[in-house]
Amino acid sequence: CNESSITPQLKNIERYQNIRLRKLYKKVFRESTRIAMSRSFWDRVLYDREWFGQGADPLTMVEREIQHKDCTLLKGGRTSTLFLINLGRKPVVVKRYNTKGVLHVIRKAISPSRASKSWALAHVLEMIGIPTPKPIAMIEKRLGPFRGISYYVYEYVEGIEAQKFFMGGIAEEQILMATKLAELFKALASYCISHGDTKATNYIIAPCGPYILDLDGMKIHRHRFLFKKRFKRNVERFMANWEGIEDTLELFRRLLKDLDERLGDKS
């Protein structure tokens, strides 16, 4: 992630960071002490060993719990559906990425599934200390090379959507959480990572601080000028959440005003 306006030393740091993140991105698709994997003609599954235990069948467990009477539908949609279920008596969120038909399956056959992107990026964020719910499983239903429905399973975090949290005016708690949310943006910028969808509903405010959700549109950029263009759109979209809420808008303007300097802009 580099640009002529930044120092050679910073270029080397960012290049090293970028290589390290990409290595981790690939590593989480292999067996390890933390991650177990199963693969067949019909599916590919990666899951957290500690959460599921030895010899688990996450696909069967997840699909069974989705049909259970205690399953809660959090969000319905044509492209994806969100469920709240219990796995091992612990609440988890299942994001099911739906298919739109045969042509969609064929077109997406050679592309990574959105579930796999979320799985990998959640591990990347964990490594660099950016709060996101713990990744638990990634499941792809397949027919050989053709991907069908996929699932991303992550730990449920108790909290309030940022949109609701900052609607009630600005108090000391709102200032604290807004500061932490601004630091989250700055941390992403320091690693040349853009989110892709910065709607306020994609940030959960928990007692310990904000968590970032909806990772399938996130991208680790190799080139700073491409990153800056996309990240600027991310910030603009985030600011648009607070139009008409002047106190909140002004608070985030103040907290994010030094982002241009962090991105290497001279203006």
Side-chain angles (χ1 to χ4, degrees):
C1 178
N2 39 81
E3 187 181 75
S4 58
S5 63
I6 57 179
T7 66
Q9 183 180 12
L10 185 55
K11 281 186 182 182
N12 289 333
I13 292 171
E14 290 183 339
R15 188 178 295 113
Y16 171 73
Q17 287 178 341
N18 201 271
I19 291 170
R20 190 164 61 105
L21 295 187
R22 290 180 181 280
K23 283 183 177 180
L24 176 67
Y25 192 101
K26 294 177 181 178
K27 183 179 179 181
V28 299
F29 292 105
R30 302 193 296 265
E31 290 261 4
S32 67
T33 52
R34 175 179 173 179
I35 298 169
M37 181 176 73
S38 64
R39 192 168 190 166
S40 73
F41 184 83
W42 305 105
D43 57 54
R44 180 175 71 146
V45 181
L46 293 148
Y47 61 93
D48 188 292
R49 294 179 189 272
E50 183 179 347
W51 194 282
F52 283 93
Q54 192 67 27
D57 183 1
L59 175 56
T60 299
M61 293 170 69
V62 166
E63 292 194 323
R64 181 183 64 227
E65 291 300 323
I66 285 175
Q67 300 300 321
H68 197 275
K69 64 179 181 179
D70 292 332
C71 171
T72 301
L73 177 65
L74 297 177
K75 179 183 176 183
R78 185 166 176 244
T79 58
S80 64
T81 311
L82 245 62
F83 304 94
L84 178 64
I85 65 172
N86 286 304
L87 283 178
R89 298 183 180 179
K90 297 178 182 179
V92 302
V93 177
V94 178
K95 187 168 187 178
R96 184 181 68 196
Y97 295 97
N98 305 317
T99 57
K100 302 175 187 176
V102 175
L103 290 178
H104 181 255
V105 172
I106 294 172
R107 184 166 58 87
K108 293 292 184 180
I110 59 174
S111 304
S113 69
R114 288 190 291 163
S116 70
K117 291 179 183 178
S118 296
W119 167 260
L121 285 161
H123 283 89
V124 168
L125 294 185
E126 274 192 333
M127 186 196 77
I128 61 180
I130 295 178
T132 193
K134 181 180 179 179
I136 296 169
M138 187 287 296
I139 303 165
E140 294 173 340
K141 299 183 78 169
R142 289 179 168 230
L143 185 64
F146 297 102
R147 300 178 183 89
I149 290 171
S150 62
Y151 301 91
Y152 173 53
V153 186
Y154 58 90
E155 187 175 20
Y156 173 71
V157 173
E158 186 75 41
I160 305 170
E161 288 182 351
Q163 193 166 37
K164 295 179 181 177
F165 184 82
F166 291 106
M167 286 289 283
I170 298 300
E172 185 176 345
E173 186 182 14
Q174 276 74 25
I175 294 172
L176 174 62
M177 291 302 176
T179 302
K180 290 185 176 184
L181 193 49
E183 290 302 319
L184 187 153
F185 269 84
K186 293 170 187 177
L188 289 173
S190 70
Y191 285 94
C192 288
I193 299 174
S194 62
H195 184 192
D197 188 1
T198 50
K199 295 194 300 286
T201 51
N202 285 330
Y203 300 90
I204 293 291
I205 308 299
C208 59
Y211 282 72
I212 187 169
L213 307 177
D214 202 12
L215 309 182
D216 52 86
M218 188 171 276
K219 183 175 176 61
I220 304 170
H221 295 264
R222 290 179 182 272
H223 304 288
R224 174 166 280 266
F225 74 95
L226 293 175
F227 159 73
K228 285 172 63 177
K229 184 176 180 180
R230 185 163 178 177
F231 195 80
K232 183 179 179 181
R233 291 200 300 266
N234 283 184
V235 174
E236 288 172 351
R237 175 64 185 90
F238 181 75
M239 290 301 191
N241 291 303
W242 319 114
E243 289 180 0
I245 314 172
E246 288 304 318
D247 288 348
T248 303
L249 182 60
E250 183 56 36
L251 175 61
F252 280 114
R253 278 179 180 159
R254 177 168 56 83
L255 291 170
L256 294 171
K257 68 179 181 180
D258 64 338
L259 261 179
D260 285 345
E261 182 180 341
R262 286 175 179 252
L263 294 175
D265 286 349
K266 296 180 180 180
S267 57

